[in-house]
Amino acid sequence: MQVSSPNNIKIYNLSSGKSLPEWLSDRKKRALQKSDVDLRRRIDLIQDFDMPTVSNSIQVTPDKQYILASGVYKPRIRCFDVSQMSMKFERCLDAEVVKFLILSEDFSKLVLLQDDRYVEFHSQMGRYYRTRIPVFGRDVKYHYPSCDLYFVGASPDVYRLNLELGRFMSPFKTNAVELNCCDLNSTHGLFACGTEEGQVECWDPRTRNRVGRLDCALGSIVEDIEVDGIPAITALKFKDGLNMAVGTSTGQILLYDIRSDKPLLVKDHQYGLPIKDIEFHNEQNLVLSVDKKILKLWDRQTGKAFTSIEPGTALNSLCLVPDTGMLFMANEAPKMLTYYIPALGPAPRWCSFLDSLTEELEESATPQVYDDYKFVTRTELEDLGLAHLVGSSLLRAYMHGFFIDIRLYHKAKSIAEPFAYEEYRKNKIKQKIQEARANRVRLKKLPKVNRQLAEKLLEQEEGTELKKRKGKKETSNLLKDDRFAAMFTNPDFQVDTESQDYKLLNPVVSKLDKDKRKRQKQQEILESQFDEIDEEPEGRPSEDESSSDDEHTWTQEVKRQHKLIQQQDKLKRKQEYEDKQTKPKFYELKEGEVFGDVQERRRKKKLIKTSLGERVEKEGQSGMVRHLGTSVGAKEMTFTFKKGESEQKHRQEAKQHHAERRKIRRSAHEISEKKKGPPKFWMGKRVQ
């Protein structure tokens, strides 16, 4: 068993060691195990846990009792029973498996997406059904509430196959050219698919509508990370209802909150290779990301590296056993990789002996090989004058330097630097002088920005120093805190003393400062004349009761300041209104209008406001009103309604339409030109 500790995290490689060929007989295998020490020391966790040539993907069933893996060549899928630690069955296929899904709690229901556009459904007894999808598939996901299988591939459509009805449903139409990957959120059922153009499109399976689009190509462009071209989306994974991880073809992982279009964190693998798979480890709050070369484990909040695994072969996919520290990786080699990391969690129940085995290995740790050696770089060797020893047995090359015997190092150090003690003595004297200068009186240098606030903070600091001498608790100071340094250097943080908020708040703050100084002065007088006792004297009001007068004073001060601000605003609005009234108003005649038309419009407007009797008197001579007799009320008025422009336009269009229809309408007479003759009879019967 190979043990490594990158970043001081123990990683146990359970698939390392020699492997025996399949064509050897059991007798020869036993003989080799007796003679070969490496074969005896290896851990064969699961028997025949390999593929003939290459493994493509590995998954663990939801009941954690079976491990399923696909590989080549020939294309096949294997099932391993963890209770027996051996292979349960193997099924050979017609084409290579791109992705597969486990629909049941065990291995009894499987969906295999193959690279020849076929989809196979397997039951416990074998292949149950086989169908074909319109394009070459790249990923598949199953939506349990609707029994829909979602296929994405070399097409802008997301194809849906309903397993309850047994037929294809209408696909989702995306705006992409091709789709690479997809995932379903187990919390609220949101479906997300990654495109070749670097976007993530989200769909709601209930309404079958697109609910959002995320441009990850733009979000991957950050400082200190160079991106060549537009990165495509190659991996997608939901952590919970809100958090999602996106892997790109340029080796970046972007962590998103789906409520925002800006990434929370961008992690770069530094290799420029496409991200193959992403997993979340909830107990340690870690993210596991895989590309072709390396598996990296890093913190989800900060992006700090936790550890990494670089097996030396090209990786294809990752499978993390839930609630444990074990993981499997499919790779471009016959052996499927198995790793155990105790820092992530305990070993699975079916191999719980690994915990005790790793504890024994840690207790019997071997001493370091280079305890009596010191590591030096090439530059340090040149300073010591030992560069000519490179290549000899006195130096052992390691990483970017060499290991040298500690006795030889001390001897060369004393010869190369004979005055090292004198330099040490000078540095000590210089340090003592600087400590003495620190006790001198220093002038207070106030900043240019927020000088009043700085003065107030300095006064508080002096009061804090007095309290510290008396043994009281020390409080923090903003002037010495680097987080608030910009408040006294950046003019954007200057406090505006003319703003209404400051004027309303300032009476309270000034009153608080005044009362605070008053209480401090009274406390100093009391401490100089009396000793403090624990109990409160009878008949003396408590601090809460005496504070009611101060609160009343603060309220009056705030009301007075608020009233003053309202008066200032009222005067300001009055002045603006007076300026507006005194200024002359100028009007410009619109284009196409005549000044006389304006006068006529004003006259008509004025006429409308007059009463009906006045208007009748004015129109009496026009012939609009006629007398029919001598009786009272025997009058007649004639007038016509003036139609609007829109009504006249509609009438004109209707008139033209009717004229056109009259020209092309067909008469009601016979279509044929030849007229019918009279009916003909023969032998009393009509024959024509």
Side-chain angles (χ1 to χ4, degrees):
M1 182 169 58
Q2 184 181 357
V3 184
S4 60
S5 56
N7 204 15
N8 296 325
I9 304 296
K10 292 282 186 180
I11 300 175
Y12 298 91
N13 186 358
L14 305 179
S15 55
S16 63
K18 293 182 179 180
S19 59
L20 296 173
E22 295 181 358
W23 45 266
L24 284 180
S25 63
D26 294 339
R27 187 174 182 179
K28 286 187 177 181
K29 287 181 180 179
R30 287 194 297 270
L32 284 173
Q33 287 176 355
K34 290 179 181 178
S35 60
D36 198 332
V37 179
D38 293 335
L39 285 175
R40 285 204 307 270
R41 289 183 176 177
R42 70 170 186 160
I43 295 178
D44 198 2
L45 191 64
I46 300 176
Q47 188 179 359
D48 299 329
F49 195 64
D50 53 14
M51 283 288 169
T53 309
V54 172
S55 54
N56 293 329
S57 59
I58 306 173
Q59 290 189 34
V60 180
T61 57
D63 61 359
K64 304 177 186 177
Q65 294 298 316
Y66 302 96
I67 301 172
L68 289 156
S70 64
V72 292
Y73 181 81
K74 297 180 179 181
R76 66 192 66 200
I77 185 167
R78 287 181 172 178
C79 178
F80 300 90
D81 190 348
V82 297
S83 61
Q84 303 296 325
M85 292 189 179
S86 61
M87 185 170 64
K88 186 174 181 66
F89 65 83
E90 177 186 21
R91 294 174 186 169
C92 291
L93 308 168
D94 296 335
E96 185 177 351
V97 176
V98 179
K99 292 279 184 179
F100 69 90
L101 287 179
I102 303 170
L103 302 183
S104 60
E105 291 293 320
D106 54 5
F107 63 90
S108 58
K109 293 180 182 179
L110 303 177
V111 177
L112 310 181
L113 176 63
Q114 299 176 346
D115 62 352
D116 60 348
R117 294 169 45 196
Y118 273 99
V119 180
E120 289 190 0
F121 299 88
H122 284 236
S123 63
Q124 199 167 2
M125 57 84 179
R127 190 172 78 182
Y128 178 77
Y129 186 72
R130 190 167 185 249
T131 186
R132 203 171 190 181
I133 58 176
V135 296
F136 291 96
R138 295 175 182 173
D139 203 354
V140 58
K141 284 291 180 270
Y142 181 63
H143 187 239
Y144 283 90
S146 62
C147 301
D148 283 347
L149 273 175
Y150 294 94
F151 299 97
V152 297
S155 169
D157 298 334
V158 180
Y159 294 98
R160 299 187 301 136
L161 177 60
N162 189 277
L163 301 186
E164 184 180 11
L165 302 176
R167 64 185 181 89
F168 281 96
M169 312 298 287
S170 58
F172 295 159
K173 301 286 184 180
T174 66
N175 294 333
V177 178
E178 293 181 355
L179 302 174
N180 293 330
C181 55
C182 63
D183 195 21
L184 272 163
N185 195 307
S186 58
T187 304
H188 46 66
L190 186 69
F191 175 75
C193 53
T195 69
E196 193 71 24
E197 292 80 15
Q199 294 183 347
V200 175
E201 292 195 10
C202 298
W203 293 73
D204 189 351
R206 299 170 299 178
T207 61
R208 298 181 294 279
N209 292 324
R210 185 191 296 110
V211 295
R213 186 186 301 160
L214 189 64
D215 192 353
C216 300
L218 188 62
S220 64
I221 302 173
V222 295
E223 294 181 0
D224 303 329
I225 297 179
E226 294 183 1
V227 179
D228 297 333
I230 299 176
I233 307 301
T234 56
L236 266 177
K237 187 68 177 179
F238 281 104
K239 178 183 180 293
D240 48 31
L242 296 177
N243 295 299
M244 176 182 66
V246 179
T248 65
S249 59
T250 53
Q252 286 91 29
I253 300 98
L254 295 85
L255 299 182
Y256 281 95
D257 188 318
I258 61 175
R259 296 170 295 183
S260 173
D261 59 348
K262 300 291 188 298
L264 302 175
L265 182 69
V266 179
K267 179 71 175 178
D268 192 3
H269 265 219
Q270 304 292 338
Y271 286 106
L273 299 172
I275 303 299
K276 298 275 189 177
D277 207 348
I278 301 173
E279 291 287 345
F280 287 98
H281 194 276
N282 296 325
E283 287 77 9
Q284 297 290 336
N285 200 20
L286 298 176
V287 181
L288 292 79
S289 52
V290 180
D291 62 12
K292 189 178 180 180
K293 190 177 181 66
I294 193 172
L295 163 66
K296 287 192 175 185
L297 293 85
W298 42 279
D299 189 83
R300 189 175 68 87
Q301 299 291 341
T302 61
K304 184 180 179 182
F306 181 74
T307 188
S308 61
I309 301 174
E310 193 169 355
T313 58
L315 303 175
N316 289 329
S317 68
L318 169 68
C319 176
L320 181 65
V321 182
D323 304 325
T324 66
M326 182 172 286
L327 54 92
F328 305 107
M329 285 191 287
N331 64 103
E332 298 287 327
K335 268 194 175 182
M336 291 184 283
L337 303 177
T338 307
Y339 289 91
Y340 174 52
I341 307 176
L344 294 182
R349 290 184 60 186
W350 51 272
C351 58
S352 57
F353 59 87
L354 287 176
D355 289 328
S356 58
L357 185 63
T358 53
E359 287 175 3
E360 291 176 4
L361 289 174
E362 290 178 0
E363 289 174 359
S364 61
T366 56
Q368 293 289 335
V369 180
Y370 301 121
D371 283 345
D372 298 329
Y373 287 78
K374 180 170 179 60
F375 180 79
V376 291
T377 60
R378 187 177 289 272
T379 306
E380 292 175 349
L381 276 179
E382 293 175 355
D383 295 339
L384 295 173
L386 301 177
H388 62 283
L389 296 179
V390 176
S392 64
S393 59
L394 297 174
L395 296 177
R396 298 186 183 184
Y398 183 76
M399 293 178 68
H400 62 285
F402 305 90
F403 275 106
I404 186 172
D405 193 288
I406 193 69
R407 294 169 294 177
L408 178 60
Y409 173 78
H410 287 314
K411 190 174 182 180
K413 185 83 172 174
S414 61
I415 296 172
E417 299 178 0
F419 303 104
Y421 176 73
E422 293 294 332
E423 292 179 1
Y424 172 76
R425 185 170 175 273
K426 287 180 181 178
N427 291 333
K428 272 292 183 184
I429 293 171
K430 189 176 181 180
Q431 185 178 358
K432 290 286 185 183
I433 292 171
Q434 289 178 353
E435 289 178 358
R437 286 176 178 173
N439 296 327
R440 294 179 182 177
V441 178
R442 295 183 178 179
L443 296 175
K444 297 180 181 178
K445 294 184 178 180
L446 296 175
K448 295 181 179 180
V449 181
N450 292 327
R451 294 177 67 90
Q452 295 180 359
L453 179 61
E455 289 178 1
K456 190 180 295 183
L457 292 174
L458 287 173
E459 291 176 2
Q460 291 180 359
E461 185 179 1
E462 291 174 358
T464 306
E465 290 178 357
L466 291 173
K467 288 182 180 179
K468 190 178 178 182
R469 291 173 190 170
K470 295 177 182 179
K472 294 189 177 181
K473 189 177 179 181
E474 184 181 0
T475 57
S476 59
N477 192 358
L478 295 179
L479 289 172
K480 296 180 180 179
D481 199 335
D482 295 336
R483 296 175 298 174
F484 303 98
M487 188 183 295
F488 304 101
T489 57
N490 193 348
D492 295 337
F493 293 98
Q494 177 67 43
V495 177
D496 187 8
T497 57
E498 298 297 328
S499 64
Q500 293 186 8
D501 296 336
Y502 180 81
K503 289 179 180 179
L504 289 173
L505 188 63
N506 190 43
V508 180
V509 177
S510 60
K511 181 66 178 176
L512 286 172
D513 294 340
K514 192 184 296 182
D515 293 343
K516 189 175 181 181
R517 288 194 296 269
K518 186 178 179 180
R519 285 196 298 270
Q520 287 178 356
K521 191 175 181 180
Q522 291 176 356
Q523 186 69 22
E524 290 174 1
I525 294 171
L526 287 173
E527 289 178 356
S528 62
Q529 295 180 359
F530 302 96
D531 293 331
E532 186 178 359
I533 60 175
D534 296 334
E535 295 183 0
E536 185 179 331
E538 295 182 3
R540 185 174 178 177
S542 63
E543 186 178 354
D544 296 336
E545 293 174 355
S546 62
S547 63
S548 60
D549 296 336
D550 296 338
E551 292 177 0
H552 183 66
T553 308
W554 295 345
T555 307
Q556 288 180 348
E557 185 69 23
V558 172
K559 286 182 178 179
R560 187 173 61 83
Q561 191 69 25
H562 187 66
K563 189 175 181 181
L564 184 62
I565 291 172
Q566 284 183 341
Q567 290 177 357
Q568 291 178 358
D569 291 343
K570 190 174 180 181
L571 290 173
K572 187 177 180 181
R573 289 196 299 269
K574 186 177 180 182
Q575 186 66 30
E576 290 177 355
Y577 179 75
E578 290 177 355
D579 294 342
K580 189 176 180 181
Q581 292 294 327
T582 54
K583 288 182 180 179
K585 294 183 180 179
F586 296 95
Y587 296 92
E588 184 179 357
L589 192 65
K590 292 183 180 179
E591 187 177 354
E593 294 286 342
V594 185
F595 184 71
D597 295 342
V598 177
Q599 297 293 337
E600 182 67 20
R601 200 174 296 126
R602 285 182 180 176
R603 189 186 67 79
K604 289 181 179 180
K605 192 174 182 181
K606 188 176 180 181
L607 184 62
I608 291 171
K609 294 181 179 180
T610 58
S611 63
L612 180 62
E614 295 176 355
R615 292 175 63 183
V616 169
E617 289 179 1
K618 290 181 180 180
E619 298 293 339
Q621 304 298 328
S622 61
M624 183 182 295
V625 181
R626 291 187 305 160
H627 291 273
L628 299 178
T630 57
S631 62
V632 179
K635 293 182 181 181
E636 182 183 75
M637 180 182 290
T638 59
F639 57 89
T640 57
F641 288 102
K642 185 177 180 182
K643 296 179 173 55
E645 295 181 0
S646 59
E647 188 177 354
Q648 291 179 359
K649 185 178 179 182
H650 287 319
R651 287 204 171 190
Q652 187 67 23
E653 290 177 354
K655 191 174 180 181
Q656 292 178 0
H657 176 71
H658 291 321
E660 291 175 359
R661 294 300 300 172
R662 287 194 196 96
K663 292 180 181 178
I664 62 174
R665 72 188 181 93
R666 192 174 60 188
S667 60
H669 59 75
E670 291 287 341
I671 297 176
S672 61
E673 296 180 358
K674 189 177 180 181
K675 293 183 179 180
K676 273 187 176 183
K680 296 181 181 181
F681 297 90
W682 175 256
M683 300 292 291
K685 294 183 180 179
R686 184 174 178 174
V687 295
Q688 189 177 353

